[in-house]
Amino acid sequence: MPLGLLLVWLFALGTRLWGLGRFNTLVFDEVYFARFARNYLAGEPFFDAHPPLGKYLIALGIWLAGGFQPWGYRWLNAVVGSLIPVAAALLAYLITRRQRVGLVAGTFVALDGFFLVESRYALINVYLVFFGVVAQVVWLWGQQWKAQRWWALMGTGVALGACVAVKWSGLGFLLGLWLVWGVQRWWMPQRQRYYTAMDMVLILPLVVFTVYSLLWLPHLAFHPHSNLWQVHVQMFNYHRSVASTAHPYCAPWWSWPLLLRPLSYFFQRVHTLSEAVPVIGPPLPMADTAWVYAVHAMFNPPLLWLSTLAMLAIIPLARRSSAGQFLLLNYAANFLPWVLVSRCLFLYHYLPAALYSFMTLAVVWDWAWRSPPWGRALSVVVLLLIVSGFLYWLPVYWGLPLTPQQFFQRMWWRSWI
């Protein structure tokens, strides 16, 4: 598995770093997050609707790169994004104790388009997912090495505090651990329980809250006229005020597992491939367009749809499988709370839940692989579909030039445009 993980990481790193500075302009929410990061470096106050850690890290990348330019505000995201497949592989292995499941899960994540796109721009979702998965890896590691339970609990709390300090939705990872722990207490005898009620109900939340609060101190230093409570009231009121139709790419929560409404992060029409991008001036009419550059934030369609089917398939099996319980509960914890949210939602809110669906598909894939002859043949077909989907939609993940016809061939549904 170590060699396999190294290859997965190198593949993920290469696909994320290649052509990273292609578009010398701020793409999608880079207009907020990259600029906020620059504001930190300049000591300028600003209002942000999310906690500060993601922007700290983008600012660190800019500072280490020596300037505010595309490579500077994107490279650290690409590196952290390349580690998500590795972290997912470790988590899947700890859940199942099967190296092949871990390796396949990491491969699936590396072959997904949305995680690739999010890793290539100065956005913050990769930090949310990375810290959340690391927290769960450390928590499960503490179950394996009970003598190190205390340090594992501290590490889990630090990682979860960092996760929530990227976005409040990081609490889904904490909720998932609470649900898994509750099921363990219900089903496991006393001698097999790894974490106590004091660990999970008192100590872990206290560590999470402490780390989360400390990570606000640099932000508050730039905003001396605000305190932590006032900032959170402003943030909450902002999110409450966002209408459900505030953006053309709003997508209701129930549409996410079906991939009904991805997002366009960048779209540019050009006459020739020699033109500088972005083009200054009014948009080129489609009739005069020879090439388009498009970055579409969308999952690998075969991977997502098969993963959705895998989640449905594992529901009746979860009661007899601890791995199935872990995956199903964490998927629900990161997906179902969005039912209660009335503001405009986007497909990227599904990233944490989608990660567990990918791991679930890896479990089902491994089960089929161990059921020859038909199961092994089915596993090969599934893998070929996922690899083919990645390669087919790669131009709209990387923003490679396509003719208008080639672009629309990849937009299978009108709602994808």
Side-chain angles (χ1 to χ4, degrees), residues 13 16-17 20 30 33 54-55 57-59 61 71-84 115-127 130:
L13 183 65
R16 282 149 179 77
L17 289 177
L20 195 63
E30 285 185 333
F33 301 140
K55 280 72 67 178
L57 293 171
I58 297 172
W71 180 270
Y73 50 73
R74 291 172 184 164
W75 75 268
L76 188 57
N77 282 60
V79 172
V80 173
S82 73
L83 294 173
I84 293 177
F115 279 100
L116 173 59
V117 171
E118 286 285 321
S119 302
R120 287 173 55 81
Y121 297 97
L123 309 173
I124 60 178
N125 290 307
V126 291
Y127 299 117
F130 176 73

Side-chain angles (χ1 to χ4, degrees), residues 11 15-16 81 85 107-121 123 126 259 262-263 265 295-304 347-348 351 354 358 386-387 389-399:
F11 172 79
T15 54
R16 282 149 179 77
T107 301
F108 285 169
V109 178
L111 290 171
D112 178 63
F114 212 147
F115 279 100
L116 173 59
V117 171
E118 286 285 321
S119 302
R120 287 173 55 81
Y121 297 97
L123 309 173
V126 291
L259 192 56
L263 297 91
Y265 279 5
V295 176
H296 244 56
M298 58 185 289
F299 295 101
N300 180 337
L303 174 59
L304 186 73
L347 185 61
Y348 57 67
L351 282 165
F358 296 168
I386 292 171
V387 172
F390 177 79
L391 294 175
Y392 183 68
W393 277 281
L394 185 59
V396 296
Y397 301 147
W398 271 350

Side-chain angles (χ1 to χ4, degrees), residues 132-152:
V133 175
V134 167
Q136 298 204 338
V137 168
V138 175
W139 191 81
L140 288 173
W141 176 79
Q143 289 191 338
Q144 180 179 356
W145 305 100
K146 195 171 182 180
Q148 305 296 325
R149 185 197 71 190
W150 175 259
W151 292 109

